[in-house]
Amino acid sequence: MSWYDEAVFYHIYPLGLTGAPKQNPYGEPQHRLQTLIPWISHIKKIGCNAVYIGPLFESVGHGYETTDYKKLDSRLGTNQDLTDFVKECHNQEIKVILDGVFNHTGRDFFAFQDIQKNRENSRYKDWYCNVNFWGNNEYNDGFSYENWGGYNLLVKLNQHNPQVRDYICDVVRFWVREFDIDGIRLDAADVLDFDYMRALRQVAEEVKPDFWLMGEVIHGDYTRWVNEGTLHSVTNYNLHKALYSGHNDHNYFEIAHTVKRLYEMGGSRPDGLKLYNFVDNHDVERIYTKLNNKAHFTPVHILLYTLPGIPSIYYGSEFGIEGKKDRYSDDSLRPALDLSDYADAAENNSFTRLIAALGKIRQRTKALSYGYYKELLLLNRQYAFARECDGQTVIVTVNNDDSDYVMTLPAQNASVYIGALSGERVSVNGGSLVVNVKANSGDIWIPAQADGAGQDGKAEPVILDIKDAAGTPAKQEPDKNERAQADAAKDSQPAKAAQQTGDSQPAKAAGHTKSGIQPSKAADRPKDSNSVKTADQKERNQDPAEKEAFEKGRIAGLQEAILAIMEKNGPVTDQMRRDVENNVYHDSLVTWIKSFR
């Protein structure tokens, strides 16, 4: 077991958080990184035990056009500032990983400047890809070169050049020696050469025990990158997409199908793929902005912290702030924040309370880090699964509907479960756990003997005292605060015409607060069979044979449509065909068809 197996990450984009200028004047160091020292205790308070921070090193603008890999960006301070930051994180038992931008450099990097000066005679002319002295570019260099993403500001390194590999490997050694970091997130890992990554993995094993390499990968078979020879983990963009669209579309089938596919990709083992899970980051819109129903903030984050993988929170999202991607700028995703504006967030901000509670539950519940995954119930608007480890079974329940829902779930390994968020105690009867899952909410059910001392001398979980999450976010920028309050007020009103599917019926839940979790009271539970319907009750009203035949025909039609579209777009491989045939979930197939438009 390594530290990252139990990690809960906090992601910081430092140039944005500290309010650094957009362009680097290359002037005297400004010690902005020092302003992040108070954030470390906040990070620990909300249950995170690892920080991913970057980019950090001298660059032209946004940080990914590196000028000097061995010098902290002068807008942030000096190397000593970074050393102090990492040291304080370690003092508070928080690991630190940095951004490694090793696919490309900026035009101010020493090797590129030497090419500008000496052209064909430059000793570094082979450090970059496809340098052509017969070409030109918009900078009128008198030569052209391969870039990343179509931006000549980002000059692509020749990763096959042994000198480049040796230089970058030396940079990693320098970072560990100088700053004592615990790992690296490799930028644009999906376009890195695999031999290049294997060289970095060898260095990782050399510099420090359990030194972690995590890569930015958008799509593809993650096992190409995550294996014994290359990286320990990659960014889980598949789950990121499923988590928000699965709630916006009331389609838990999309989430469950994604989890199943990724889980099987890792050999269906807890130690298979430990992917880096997130709901937002410095490149995508804030989760609070993306959710059509802001109340879904709660079940989204319950899933983030309980599904297989390593959870990560992007700075500020624990306060429920918004961030919408602009067409030509990511600035709105990377705002400057003053921690003093959120001084009481852990007590008075419902979103922060939820994140803090989930962080503590995650750290105290080994099954969420090491447990096998087993699906227990799956409907469009309700989802339950178990994480099993060393004889302990933790059960997770979520509900994206505007009404409460009663779940009957198999539970064999305990006689009593306690909701780690709600504090509700529920006895297991006849091998079944029957729980009422609040509207637009969820809970994490832990066996009563899991942690702490109970009446029978066995352990009980520490119940976290969090209130409902229907409150407003903590103080933000003035122009966003009023909008956030309006959203929260709107979300606290009953839904007037929520669209219902065949697997969920409307029911009035007295006292429900839509944006989150409140301790369950006896008065809140269903008083009769009409208040909340279970799946069994609804199924009895339908002819099973007719329903099965209809569903099979509908699924087959959707699968044929997807394959037909694929064939028009290009060759269809056997793996692509199997992916379509294995997807037997109606809403997931509909979403797939829509994605072609």
Side-chain angles (χ1 to χ4, degrees), residues 119-192:
R119 293 179 57 81
E120 292 90 343
N121 296 321
S122 172
R123 60 181 293 192
Y124 301 107
K125 64 182 180 181
D126 294 326
W127 275 44
Y128 294 99
C129 295
N130 299 321
V131 177
N132 178 12
F133 293 104
W134 296 95
N136 205 349
N137 55 38
E138 70 270 29
Y139 296 101
N140 199 29
D141 288 321
F143 60 89
S144 61
Y145 48 85
E146 189 173 336
N147 62 39
W148 181 86
Y151 300 100
N152 275 325
L153 186 65
L154 307 175
V155 195
K156 185 170 177 59
L157 285 166
N158 179 8
Q159 300 161 26
H160 297 284
N161 186 328
Q163 293 181 348
V164 171
R165 290 191 193 178
D166 290 346
Y167 177 83
I168 294 299
C169 288
D170 183 60
V171 165
V172 175
R173 295 184 185 99
F174 174 83
W175 287 358
V176 176
R177 184 171 64 250
E178 186 84 359
F179 309 116
D180 194 27
I181 63 169
D182 304 291
I184 294 174
R185 176 262 196 190
L186 295 175
D187 181 62
D190 46 8
V191 295
L192 292 181

Side-chain angles (χ1 to χ4, degrees), residues 281-302:
N281 61 28
H282 64 301
D283 288 326
V284 301
E285 292 183 341
R286 296 276 177 174
I287 186 63
Y288 192 75
T289 297
K290 284 187 291 195
L291 291 174
N292 295 337
N293 183 346
K294 305 307 180 186
H296 288 161
F297 186 95
T298 295
V300 161
H301 283 87
I302 290 175

Side-chain angles (χ1 to χ4, degrees), residues 253 257 551 555-556 559 579-589:
F253 284 94
H257 178 69
E551 283 299 320
I555 295 301
Q559 290 172 333
D579 287 344
V580 175
E581 293 171 351
N582 290 337
N583 187 345
V584 294
Y585 308 115
H586 172 268
D587 288 359
S588 178
L589 292 168

Side-chain angles (χ1 to χ4, degrees), residues 50-109:
V51 168
Y52 152 41
I53 182 170
L56 282 165
F57 296 97
E58 192 82 287
S59 66
V60 178
H62 50 57
Y64 290 98
E65 63 285 74
T66 309
T67 298
D68 189 339
Y69 286 104
K70 297 183 179 181
K71 179 179 182 295
L72 185 71
D73 196 300
S74 54
R75 291 170 290 177
L76 295 173
T78 65
N79 282 11
Q80 186 61 48
D81 292 327
L82 181 53
T83 299
D84 294 342
F85 178 84
V86 176
K87 182 178 180 180
E88 182 56 32
C89 285
H90 287 168
N91 288 342
Q92 299 195 40
E93 300 181 320
I94 294 173
K95 301 290 186 179
V96 180
I97 72 166
L98 308 186
D99 234 331
V101 188
F102 300 149
N103 176 68
H104 47 266
T105 74
R107 289 168 49 83
D108 288 347
F109 188 66

Side-chain angles (χ1 to χ4, degrees), residues 542-558 584 586:
Q542 302 178 16
D543 185 324
E546 291 181 359
K547 179 183 177 183
E548 182 179 4
F550 174 78
E551 283 299 320
K552 284 185 177 180
R554 184 164 63 164
I555 295 301
L558 290 170
V584 294
H586 172 268

